[in-house]
Amino acid sequence: MGVVVYQAVHGYSEGHRQFACSAELTPSDARLLLVMSDASGSGVTTEGNSYLTGYPLQESGLYALARTWPALEMSRPGCVWTHTLFIEFADLALLDSPSQLSALFKLPSVDSAQSFGNTLLLAETESSNSRLMSSQLSLFERLATALYEHPHDQVWARRLSDGFVDDVVLRLWNLQWPRLRRSFRFCTLTTRDRSQEGMLFDLQLCGETTSRLRFAKNTDGVEATTTSTEPWLAQLVDYANRPYASGFREALRLLGTDMLGGRESVRSICSLQATLAQHEPSAVADAIALVTPPTPLSASKVAREMVASVALSHADILDDAALNYVVDNLDLISEHDLAAHGQQLAGHLLKAAPGKLAALIDDERLSVRVSMKAAVERIDANVVAQNLKAGEDWVRPLLAVRPDLPETPVFWQRTQAKAADLQQAGIKLQAEAQLAAAVLGLNDQLSIESVARVFGSASVLKCVQQLLAEERDVSELRRWVKEVCHQPEAVASFLSHTLALNPRLVSCIAAELAPDAVPNDYGVDPWLADGLDNGEAGKRPTANRIASLRIHPRPERAVQKRRPTAVFDV
């Protein structure tokens, strides 16, 4: 489906007048159209070239793009034919390349002038994407430099004799967002300032034979003679050469719609796009600076979204300032980007600012909270635990997301957590893997005491025995054996009922408890029992246990509860 385009034709017939028009215009706009469709200045027709004029008809909500030709067939000198196309502001915003309108121009004649009273249909097609020729490139750069480095001044330039000037100006028009393009006023050939009351022209070109453009008011305008060396211009030239090869068209539409202002915003937008296109770490910091007050882009939510998304994709190399920017603007980032790069951010926060990561897990912004929890869940438990610190409040939110952390020795080693810390975070201490990790990781006595109390002495001794069977260094486990030896009854029960006791464990217990400190309440001497084996327990000590005991005889006491069945000194 195409875009409706209205048209009008003006020419000479006992004066300059309108021959046909399919658009409904207010009287004020009709008068402006009559003036703009006439010759742009004395001597213009002698140049022998057609030219373009573009301007808005504000009251009618239309943008007028006109082409004017010298009417050489007329006997009166200075006569012109002008074919004007009108497009509604809303439709102009939809066109990727408004310069496509120029394909609808037709040179009127006396015989055909009356036939221009119908509407036209513009079928939008992709532009040819031809690159600017060297002669066009120089003019494009000079015009862009003057327009956007002097955004509040009228710009003029000398028109070359070749026929490519109109194409250059139209390319500049293409590279404007909807609100700017519908207010852009230009004329590609004139000998005087065409501005009307309250309607200044942005860009005008004069012929080669004209010494300079004459302005009606006290201004000389800015002549486009220099070329900027800043990156923004190189970026604009690249987009002019490849309008469909990058995301600039969409970025321009989004940023331009989101920003207030006109020509003064173009450099900022191009600078931002040029910076975001770089891949160096420093580019992220530069992009953040471009959207930080008091820059023009700081008021644009779209610009901040773009920078936040790019910064997130480099989350693993961000410095503190850039990291803070990403964290503060996570709600601006799409769910897709959060899912794609959230783990990078979470991993970097773990190392650089784990407290910030914990805060994001409980963030009031739902999208942030969900994405950060998902990111933390995907990180290896040992990696998470390695970045924890003892006594920090932010450990608890991480535990709520990763209840498997207590199953890693690194968690206990880094946090030296007490049982109450985990219970307050909603973690139930009951799994064998949790106890094994705690036994290997804890060295703080109070923490050992709290965890041993929760699991019980029998479970601790069983765990120690299993670890010893894995050839763990017995010195790592002595604190736990010492702790459970504060409950001799539990030790006695373990010794009496456990099959195949590890000799090194029995040796550790013997080093902590005197022989008569272990009660004999089970009908069998715990030092000699080898477990309840076919009812024969207690008859004789096993060879393993005899070899392992390091118990020395002690002086006789006046009163003894009992004597051990045998004392060995290996």
Side-chain angles (χ1 to χ4, degrees), residues 217-282:
K217 296 187 177 181
N218 295 327
T219 177
D220 292 332
V222 173
E223 184 179 2
T225 57
T226 61
T227 298
S228 175
T229 58
E230 295 182 12
W232 72 266
L233 181 59
Q235 193 70 36
L236 192 67
V237 169
D238 180 58
Y239 294 140
N241 285 326
R242 304 183 305 115
Y244 293 93
S246 68
F248 178 69
R249 182 177 58 184
E250 183 64 20
L252 193 68
R253 187 185 301 273
L254 292 172
L255 287 168
T257 302
D258 194 48
M259 294 178 65
L260 296 177
R263 283 158 43 193
E264 67 273 13
S265 301
V266 173
R267 278 194 303 162
S268 297
I269 292 175
C270 290
S271 295
L272 177 62
Q273 293 300 300
T275 303
L276 294 179
Q278 299 176 26
H279 300 288
E280 294 79 7
S282 60

Side-chain angles (χ1 to χ4, degrees), residues 416-419 442-453 483:
Q416 294 300 308
K418 297 178 176 60
L442 287 178
N443 52 53
D444 178 77
Q445 192 56 44
L446 292 178
S447 298
I448 291 173
E449 180 182 345
S450 68
V451 173
R453 188 183 307 116
E483 177 59 35

Side-chain angles (χ1 to χ4, degrees), residues 354-570:
K356 290 184 181 294
L357 177 60
L360 291 176
I361 291 173
D362 290 332
D363 197 277
E364 60 183 10
R365 298 166 292 183
L366 178 60
S367 61
V368 174
R369 187 167 65 249
V370 170
S371 63
M372 285 298 99
K373 284 183 177 179
V376 172
E377 287 172 350
R378 293 194 297 269
I379 301 176
D380 182 82
N382 285 296
V383 174
V384 177
Q386 186 61 48
N387 291 281
L388 302 182
K389 295 181 181 179
E392 296 287 354
D393 293 338
W394 45 260
V395 173
R396 191 176 301 171
L398 290 176
L399 277 171
V401 178
R402 295 298 301 268
D404 59 329
L405 290 178
E407 297 178 9
T408 64
V410 180
F411 167 80
W412 298 97
Q413 182 184 28
R414 297 288 298 175
T415 64
Q416 294 300 308
K418 297 178 176 60
D421 298 329
L422 279 78
Q423 291 167 337
Q424 290 173 6
I427 304 296
K428 292 183 178 180
L429 291 178
Q430 57 187 16
E432 292 182 0
Q434 295 171 331
L435 178 56
V439 170
L440 292 174
L442 287 178
N443 52 53
D444 178 77
Q445 192 56 44
L446 292 178
S447 298
I448 291 173
E449 180 182 345
S450 68
V451 173
R453 188 183 307 116
V454 170
F455 280 96
S457 298
S459 295
V460 172
L461 288 170
K462 178 182 176 182
C463 177
V464 171
Q465 171 147 294
Q466 290 174 341
L467 293 174
L468 288 173
E470 298 171 6
E471 301 301 323
R472 293 282 183 176
D473 186 353
V474 70
S475 62
E476 300 177 1
L477 312 174
R478 288 190 183 278
R479 289 189 180 89
W480 291 86
V481 175
K482 182 177 182 179
E483 177 59 35
V484 298
C485 283
H486 291 136
Q487 298 181 16
E489 296 82 359
V491 174
S493 175
F494 179 80
L495 291 173
S496 300
H497 297 92
T498 301
L499 295 172
L501 282 165
N502 188 286
R504 291 190 294 164
L505 174 57
V506 177
S507 178
C508 288
I509 295 173
E512 297 296 334
L513 290 174
D516 55 353
V518 180
N520 185 8
D521 297 333
Y522 301 94
V524 62
D525 192 321
W527 291 109
L528 298 180
D530 196 30
L532 301 178
D533 184 13
N534 298 322
E536 299 296 323
K539 288 187 175 181
R540 58 186 179 84
T542 66
N544 283 341
R545 190 173 306 185
I546 293 173
S548 67
L549 289 175
R550 310 292 298 175
I551 306 172
H552 299 272
R554 301 194 303 169
E556 293 291 335
R557 296 182 182 179
V559 178
Q560 288 186 332
K561 178 179 178 182
R562 62 169 174 75
R563 286 183 176 273
T565 304
V567 177
F568 300 90
D569 186 4
V570 181

Side-chain angles (χ1 to χ4, degrees), residues 186-245:
F186 62 90
C187 181
T188 61
L189 180 59
T190 183
T191 56
R192 58 179 174 80
D193 182 15
R194 304 198 71 187
S195 299
Q196 302 293 307
E197 187 66 32
M199 191 187 82
L200 299 179
F201 265 64
D202 297 277
L203 174 63
Q204 300 171 93
L205 288 87
C206 61
E208 288 184 299
T209 60
T210 305
S211 59
R212 62 169 292 107
L213 188 66
R214 299 191 303 273
F215 289 89
K217 296 187 177 181
N218 295 327
T219 177
D220 292 332
V222 173
E223 184 179 2
T225 57
T226 61
T227 298
S228 175
T229 58
E230 295 182 12
W232 72 266
L233 181 59
Q235 193 70 36
L236 192 67
V237 169
D238 180 58
Y239 294 140
N241 285 326
R242 304 183 305 115
Y244 293 93

Side-chain angles (χ1 to χ4, degrees), residues 94-111:
L94 297 176
L95 295 179
D96 291 326
S97 299
S99 61
Q100 295 175 67
L101 287 167
S102 63
L104 300 178
F105 285 128
K106 290 183 179 180
L107 173 61
S109 65
V110 174
D111 296 331

Side-chain angles (χ1 to χ4, degrees), residues 151-163:
H152 304 294
D153 296 316
Q154 291 181 264
V155 174
W156 69 280
R158 301 179 191 279
R159 175 178 173 130
L160 303 177
S161 59
D162 58 48

